[in-house]
Amino acid sequence: MTKQNTNQATADQFQFADPSKLNSQHDGVAQKSLSFHEKAWHQLKHDHAAMVSLVFLLLVALFSVVSLFWMPHNPNAQNVDLSNLKPFTNGSYILGTDGLGRDMLSRLLYGTRISLMIALFATLVDILIGVPYGLVSGWCGGRVDNVMQRIIEIISSVPELVLIMLLLIVLKPGMVSIIIAIALSSWVLMARLVRASAMQIKSADFVLAAQAMGESPFQIALHHILPNTMGVVITRTMFTIPAAIFLEALLSFIGIGVKAPNASLGTLLNAGEKGFQFYQYQLWEPVLVLSLMMIAFNLLGDGLRDAFDPNTRG
Amino acid sequence: MKKYILKRLLMMVLTLFIVATLTFFLMKMIPGSPLGNTMKLTKAQQLAVEKQYGLNKPVWQQYLAYMGGVLHGNFGMSYQYNSTSVASLIGHRVGPSVLISFQALVLGVVVGIVLGCVGALNKGTWADAASSTLAVIGISFPSFILAILLQYYLGFKLGWFPVANWNGFPSTILPTVALSAVPMAQVSRFVRTEMVEVLNSDYILLAKAKGLSVAQVVFHHALKNSIIPALTLIGPLAVTLITGSMVVENIFSVPGIGELFINSVLSNDYPVIMGLTMFYCLLLCGILLLTDVVYGLVDPRILSKEKGEH
Amino acid sequence: MTEDVLTIKHLSVDFQTLEGTVHAVRDVTLKLHPGEVLALVGESGSGKSVTTKTVMQLLPKNAKVVSGSVEYDGRDLLKLPEKELQNLRGNELAEIFQDPMTALDPTMRVGKQIMEPLLQHQDLTKDEARQKALAIMEKVGIVNAKERFRNFPYQFSGGMRQRIVIAMALICHPKVLIADEPTTALDVTIQSQILALIKQLKDELGTAVIFITHDLGVVAGIADRVAVMYAGRILEFGTVNDIFYHPQHPYTVGLLKSTPTMDMNEGDLESIPGTTPNLIDPPVGDPFANRNRHALNIDFEKMPPFFKVSDTHYAATWLLDKQAPKVHLTDKLEQRREHYAKLAEREAQADD
């Protein structure tokens, strides 16, 4: 802490620095400002589990699309001579055949496509009902909100699966009914989340500013509230899809979902379970496909939630 | 508080009334006679049966009769189980369901809390990764498949547990385990998130600054603050257990209401379906009300942290 | 000079973050004399809190002490095993946090929270601890202590909560108290009450205090000595008079000029241009150089050593070197000096 010897210092060092040096060095270095969605994407990219899941799901989607045009075999073509072939024993039937000699791989591709389609359409309906409902409820508030919330309370007082089964009894059996039944029972949560989000955004300064600028309530809801609830909607979607896949599988497994000759992961599980004692691959194959998809959706959903939620971001 | 509970009870009655009405008319909307599918009857027999169940009267009379019955706890007679009332059917079946659901709840909550705490306390280590992985699998892996696998490998192949007949505690083990997977995962994820947040809070730092050991900080301060908010999970957990018990009971042939419901759906036993729907609805409303009351007793201002719904 | 209670020597602390290693504290040396109040002044992010959290050994997991020592009672706190640290924390070393709204456990009755350090460090029965807790609650100004003892934190206002936090910190009569911006989160009217309380209690107990603040206005009222921190380094330290009347470092001068006082005109207030440097890649020389109108070339090349101004006053600025050009930093501060002198006088009178 004593005075140091500074004799070596040149006289020039003790001249005043060039003013251009001021505020230039180390000033705001590397402070790129990213938009909210860029930050979310940036965060998501570093979430390895979520990215692996995303790639896996994209691959599944790709296979499903390809299977529309080409499959190794006709998934419904029966060949009794080649029934119950074990996997990897026949070059033409890589994943083996089922009890009726149908190609397991083709049936899996087909079943996955049907399951995915049901889940995606159910989710779409879920969004189409849930988002506007939540938006109106949260944005209007007051008595409208009160009534809309009571309706939601009544619907959610019936357990989801019970409601779905009730609807399935009434509707004509078939894929459309399953989609409607699943969507009608699951939109409630989406509506609640969107409502909570809308109410939060409603009191934000930029909404007040928009009001002050004279924008109409409808414009504000459309241009300011809706875009800002997107994070919640996207995240929730990532949980709705696997839930729908699960419900479809469950219903078809019980025997009130997709009916033969159509195949879904649920009907494959149902078929696989019957012969499980003897032909275990017939259950394990759809089980693996289903659970990997479920895990991937959940991991991606977790990643998205962390990315969109500023609270969990460090 | 009393006023609040009263208000909620009124709302509950209203909800039940609406649900009963909707289910009744929903069932009436089904095309064709409910008896046509299951039994091959002559015209005369069919008329006799319809008369027995009151199906020959106009719909509004049937509705009034049904609602009148419901008020007295009479949900009609089952089609499938001849001359058994729905109420006594449910009464006989509710025991096993409650038993495995309760066991699964205890198992799931205890294991879930432990896993969640282990994860949060060792954030970023292999232990955290392991507990998180377990939780993701628990959430993702369909419970009915878990039930099939448990039944086959532990029950059938290894013979450790009884597979099909419902007889005493051993036969409850596998259904309980299969049913507890999802609650376990839900609780563990919730507690982990809460605990991570709590451990980062000022009052935990202050507790450390007072000279408390890590164990004291966790047990005196962190644990309570992370677990109390988990009360909000009870509603979702109840739904999870109701859904899960239907399939799990079906697979393990547990003589419970879940199995009864699925069988009734498969055999179009409408009075049972309606009765069980009301019962489930009552159960869920009751649980939610109870949760809110407990939450109110633990003063809400203590739990003032605003929680977004997950 | 009497024996120091606490000596921080050449302390450097790094943080690992996603963006890189943040050098939050760089070569900090500080001494705390017995019974004094040492104010640690600087903008947010200057490393004040990190320094004191290192003393308490309560750094977050991603922080790492790179070098240095913290000597207390003949021992280096940085090398003590956790068990012994626990014996010191809350007992001989205590801390008051910035935000009383978050510093209390929301689910535990305040009485129990106040008793906790006592039960931890002293061999007392629950009843004795209760009596002591009630006594200190009354001392920090909580009326109806007996009834309030069983209340939960939400039943108290911010100022009352801070009194409770102070009671917890002082209940074991610590030798060293760290007050980390204890009044920042409070209303202005409550601020002065809390300051007066801390001052009164530390005089009664003879506790030495490290008082962290970004507000020089607060410093004048409470501190004996002041250390000015910027970008992880100490730039100047001295007695309150040294710092307020003879500031040497351009940053200290800038801070003084930007502190408002009651009777000032708006035009008198000056802000410091620019922003604080990035501590992931900290500047080599004087960290304040790029915001300093009087920066020398050498400021960008080499960290200045501490130049002695007086026995109590040291400053790290090349302007104090013999070869440096003479600079008159403090023109506008002249008026201020008079102002502070008046303030001090008034306070002295008030104390009598």
Side-chain angles (χ1 to χ4, degrees):
Chain A
M1 268 191 240
T2 49
K3 199 166 175 179
Q4 270 187 7
N5 187 0
T6 53
N7 284 344
Q8 313 93 307
T10 62
D12 176 58
Q13 284 183 304
F14 286 94
Q15 297 302 311
F16 286 118
D18 186 36
S20 65
K21 276 185 167 178
L22 302 186
N23 276 319
S24 57
Q25 284 190 349
H26 303 289
D27 200 18
V29 185
Q31 292 194 345
K32 294 167 277 177
S33 68
L34 299 167
S35 82
F36 180 71
H37 289 97
E38 279 172 322
K39 273 186 194 159
W41 172 240
H42 189 72
Q43 158 115 1
L44 190 66
K45 268 199 299 198
H46 288 279
D47 188 336
H48 299 301
M51 286 320 279
V52 171
S53 303
L54 183 61
V55 171
F56 173 78
L57 292 171
L58 287 175
L59 280 178
V60 171
L62 182 72
F63 280 131
S64 300
V65 172
V66 168
S67 76
L68 274 172
F69 308 103
W70 181 85
M71 279 191 278
H73 294 270
N74 179 344
N76 291 321
Q78 304 183 4
N79 189 344
V80 189
D81 297 338
L82 292 173
S83 67
N84 294 325
L85 280 182
K86 291 227 153 110
F88 310 116
T89 52
N90 183 319
S92 176
Y93 300 94
I94 298 174
L95 293 182
T97 58
D98 68 1
L100 296 169
R102 293 175 293 193
D103 178 37
M104 283 298 286
L105 178 58
S106 303
R107 287 188 72 72
L108 276 174
L109 283 169
Y110 182 64
T112 306
R113 189 174 81 216
I114 298 290
S115 288
L116 264 182
M117 262 171 59
I118 291 177
L120 289 178
F121 277 113
T123 306
L124 192 68
V125 178
D126 173 292
I127 292 173
L128 287 179
I129 305 175
V131 174
Y133 194 100
L135 209 56
V136 170
S137 181
W139 175 232
C140 292
R143 189 170 290 171
V144 177
D145 178 48
N146 212 335
V147 171
M148 290 176 93
Q149 283 315 109
R150 292 283 105 44
I151 295 175
I152 281 193
E153 257 173 49
I154 291 172
I155 295 178
S156 52
S157 71
V158 182
E160 195 179 28
L161 193 54
V162 174
L163 184 57
I164 292 179
M165 289 196 185
L166 285 179
L167 290 170
L168 276 181
I169 297 171
V170 179
L171 298 169
K172 273 186 300 184
M175 267 174 59
V176 179
S177 307
I178 299 177
I179 291 170
I180 291 173
I182 292 176
L184 283 185
S185 64
S186 69
W187 64 272
V188 173
L189 193 53
M190 177 69 92
R192 278 190 171 158
L193 290 171
V194 171
R195 170 180 175 265
S197 175
M199 287 176 70
Q200 208 178 3
I201 299 161
K202 200 163 86 171
S203 52
D205 285 343
F206 64 86
V207 173
L208 292 178
Q211 276 172 321
M213 306 265 286
E215 288 188 46
S216 74
F218 182 73
Q219 279 174 319
I220 295 174
L222 208 62
H223 297 307
H224 298 287
I225 311 253
L226 187 63
N228 281 293
T229 57
M230 274 307 137
V232 174
V233 174
I234 294 173
T235 306
R236 176 64 208 149
T237 303
M238 285 305 127
F239 294 106
T240 315
I241 297 177
I245 295 178
F246 166 77
L247 284 171
E248 182 281 320
L250 179 58
L251 295 170
S252 303
F253 177 79
I254 295 172
I256 49 177
V258 175
K259 296 255 162 60
N262 278 333
S264 71
L265 287 174
T267 52
L268 290 179
L269 288 169
N270 184 317
E273 197 242 348
K274 284 181 181 134
F276 189 44
Q277 258 171 272
F278 310 104
Y279 309 106
Q280 293 177 11
Y281 66 92
Q282 287 178 8
L283 180 66
W284 271 110
E285 286 174 7
V287 163
L288 281 179
V289 173
L290 177 65
S291 31
L292 283 179
M293 268 166 60
M294 299 277 294
I295 289 172
F297 271 115
N298 272 302
L299 287 176
L300 184 58
D302 284 349
L304 279 171
R305 188 185 51 205
D306 291 348
F308 279 121
D309 184 357
N311 297 327
T312 54
R313 188 153 51 209
Chain B
M1 192 73 186
K2 258 183 200 158
K3 212 174 151 193
Y4 172 74
I5 295 176
L6 204 70
K7 212 173 131 194
R8 285 288 304 265
L9 280 173
L10 275 174
M11 184 66 202
M12 204 163 127
V13 172
L14 185 68
T15 303
L16 285 171
F17 173 76
I18 294 175
V19 169
T21 308
L22 287 180
T23 0
F24 179 85
F25 287 106
L26 213 54
M27 295 295 116
K28 289 293 155 208
M29 273 165 56
I30 302 167
S33 159
L35 303 172
N37 308 337
T38 43
M39 294 167 254
K40 295 242 181 304
L41 303 168
T42 64
K43 198 85 190 158
Q45 280 173 312
Q46 202 167 328
L47 281 175
V49 174
E50 277 181 4
K51 197 173 178 196
Q52 182 196 340
Y53 288 101
L55 296 173
N56 52 347
K57 289 178 197 152
V59 171
W60 66 271
Q61 276 186 16
Q62 288 182 39
Y63 173 68
L64 288 183
Y66 182 74
M67 291 310 268
V70 166
L71 275 182
H72 297 97
N74 174 13
F75 294 86
M77 308 293 262
S78 161
Y79 296 163
Q80 188 189 4
Y81 302 88
N82 255 337
S83 65
T84 314
S85 79
V86 173
S88 79
L89 209 52
I90 294 177
H92 279 109
R93 294 276 199 137
V94 82
S97 292
V98 169
L99 180 68
I100 61 164
S101 295
F102 185 71
Q103 285 181 183
L105 186 69
V106 173
L107 183 68
V109 167
V110 170
V111 177
I113 288 176
V114 171
L115 280 179
C117 288
V118 166
L121 289 171
N122 302 292
K123 194 174 171 231
T125 66
W126 66 268
D128 183 25
S131 96
S132 296
T133 309
L134 207 59
V136 168
I137 293 177
I139 292 251
S140 314
F141 200 79
S143 53
F144 63 98
I145 296 180
L146 181 64
I148 297 171
L149 297 180
L150 284 175
Q151 185 184 41
Y152 181 74
Y153 288 106
L154 299 187
F156 192 77
K157 267 216 145 157
L158 296 171
W160 289 356
F161 304 98
V163 178
N165 38 355
W166 180 254
N167 191 9
F169 177 69
S171 59
T172 67
I173 294 176
L174 287 183
T176 300
V177 172
L179 200 51
S180 70
V182 181
M184 181 271 287
Q186 282 174 315
V187 171
S188 134
R189 283 159 67 106
F190 189 93
V191 169
R192 181 184 175 278
T193 314
E194 277 303 317
M195 188 102 166
V196 165
E197 201 177 294
V198 167
L199 287 177
N200 277 329
S201 65
D202 276 1
Y203 58 86
I204 292 299
L205 200 62
L206 184 68
K208 285 182 195 161
K210 287 177 184 174
L212 302 189
S213 68
V214 176
Q216 283 172 316
V217 169
V218 170
F219 284 106
H220 295 178
H221 296 280
L223 212 51
K224 198 165 152 199
N225 282 291
S226 329
I227 290 175
I228 290 179
L231 279 174
T232 49
L233 263 188
I234 290 181
L237 281 181
V239 177
T240 299
L241 286 173
I242 290 173
T243 306
S245 69
M246 286 192 196
V247 216
V248 168
E249 283 178 17
N250 197 38
I251 287 166
F252 287 100
S253 311
V254 177
I257 50 175
E259 201 232 3
L260 178 66
F261 187 78
I262 292 205
N263 278 338
S264 311
V265 168
L266 290 174
S267 59
N268 293 334
D269 195 346
Y270 302 142
V272 179
I273 296 174
M274 284 153 71
L276 271 177
T277 302
M278 296 277 296
F279 182 78
Y280 277 128
C281 188
L282 180 71
L283 195 70
L284 198 54
C285 287
I287 289 171
L288 288 178
L289 177 60
L290 204 68
T291 315
D292 283 357
V293 171
V294 172
Y295 216 77
L297 288 180
V298 185
D299 196 302
R301 278 165 299 182
I302 297 178
L303 315 156
S304 61
K305 283 187 291 174
E306 292 267 330
K307 287 274 165 243
E309 284 164 282
H310 287 285
Chain C
M1 208 186 273
T2 45
E3 183 88 355
D4 294 322
V5 204
L6 190 78
T7 313
I8 301 171
K9 279 187 187 155
H10 303 294
L11 183 72
S12 294
V13 182
D14 285 356
F15 278 81
Q16 297 298 335
T17 68
L18 284 176
E19 285 83 24
T21 305
V22 177
H23 307 283
V25 169
R26 300 184 290 151
D27 195 26
V28 162
T29 297
L30 270 180
K31 286 174 177 174
L32 183 64
H33 306 320
E36 74 164 348
V37 176
L38 170 65
L40 205 50
V41 183
E43 297 167 55
S44 48
S46 58
K48 304 163 294 185
S49 291
V50 177
T51 306
T52 54
K53 288 279 182 298
T54 314
V55 173
M56 295 292 285
Q57 286 287 286
L58 288 175
L59 288 168
K61 276 185 187 151
N62 62 340
K64 197 176 158 240
V65 177
V66 185
S67 64
S69 65
V70 179
E71 280 162 35
Y72 170 79
D73 199 16
R75 293 176 292 179
D76 183 357
L77 293 179
L78 303 184
K79 295 196 177 104
L80 277 191
E82 176 63 24
K83 191 84 207 139
E84 286 182 46
L85 280 170
Q86 280 168 17
N87 288 336
L88 291 178
R89 280 189 210 127
N91 188 15
E92 294 179 34
L93 310 172
E95 179 160 358
I96 304 171
F97 286 174
Q98 176 172 356
D99 187 357
M101 301 313 276
T102 57
L104 295 171
D105 184 339
T107 58
M108 191 186 271
R109 297 179 198 282
V110 291
K112 201 171 170 198
Q113 295 192 52
I114 295 175
M115 282 174 9
E116 247 181 344
L118 266 184
L119 294 169
Q120 189 71 12
H121 299 295
Q122 297 179 10
D123 206 10
L124 295 175
T125 65
K126 269 242 165 96
D127 215 47
E128 290 166 331
R130 200 183 128 86
Q131 291 312 317
K132 283 202 168 186
L134 285 172
I136 197 146
M137 278 172 82
E138 266 161 25
K139 198 174 234 172
V140 296
I142 293 168
V143 275
N144 272 342
K146 259 196 183 128
E147 286 163 36
R148 302 295 251 159
F149 192 83
R150 285 185 57 75
N151 283 5
F152 285 99
Y154 73 85
Q155 289 161 304
F156 293 85
S157 67
M160 281 296 150
R161 288 188 193 203
Q162 195 61 303
R163 286 170 195 267
I164 291 166
V165 173
I166 292 171
M168 279 194 272
L170 294 179
I171 197 164
C172 289
H173 299 188
K175 301 249 166 47
V176 176
L177 174 71
I178 294 165
D180 191 347
E181 307 220 13
T183 58
T184 308
L186 301 173
D187 287 346
V188 185
T189 44
I190 313 287
Q191 276 187 15
S192 53
Q193 293 175 13
I194 296 291
L195 278 180
L197 178 68
I198 294 176
K199 212 165 148 187
Q200 174 209 336
L201 290 174
K202 77 110 199 163
D203 284 343
E204 272 178 44
L205 304 174
T207 304
V209 180
I210 300 180
F211 192 95
I212 299 182
T213 180
H214 62 265
D215 182 0
L216 274 173
V218 171
V219 172
I222 191 166
D224 299 307
R225 288 196 308 135
V226 181
V228 178
M229 255 188 117
Y230 182 77
R233 287 187 187 277
I234 299 224
L235 296 185
E236 181 165 9
F237 62 90
T239 63
V240 174
N241 283 341
D242 293 336
I243 298 295
F244 277 76
Y245 298 141
H246 310 285
Q248 298 299 319
H249 198 286
Y251 177 64
T252 314
V253 175
L255 267 186
L256 283 166
K257 282 182 181 169
S258 60
T259 305
T261 51
M262 296 284 206
D263 52 355
M264 267 173 63
N265 299 320
E266 251 177 68
D268 298 337
L269 207 56
E270 275 182 37
S271 64
I272 307 174
T275 54
T276 48
N278 179 346
L279 289 181
I280 290 176
D281 179 23
V284 214
D286 185 331
F288 188 61
N290 69 325
R291 299 169 73 182
N292 181 2
R293 267 188 295 142
H294 305 290
L296 306 176
N297 281 322
I298 193 170
D299 278 326
F300 290 95
E301 293 158 17
K302 210 169 161 192
M303 178 66 199
F306 277 107
F307 291 93
K308 179 172 175 176
V309 184
S310 72
D311 280 344
T312 52
H313 189 186
Y314 291 78
T317 169
W318 285 115
L319 289 177
L320 289 173
D321 193 277
K322 271 181 295 187
Q323 301 173 57
K326 284 274 162 292
V327 175
H328 197 54
L329 289 170
T330 53
D331 35 351
K332 273 195 182 161
L333 283 175
E334 299 293 339
Q335 310 154 11
R336 287 234 177 166
R337 271 174 214 166
E338 287 160 27
H339 172 71
Y340 283 122
K342 259 189 256 161
L343 266 188
E345 244 171 66
R346 226 178 283 159
E347 210 151 283
Q349 283 167 356
D351 277 355
D352 289 340

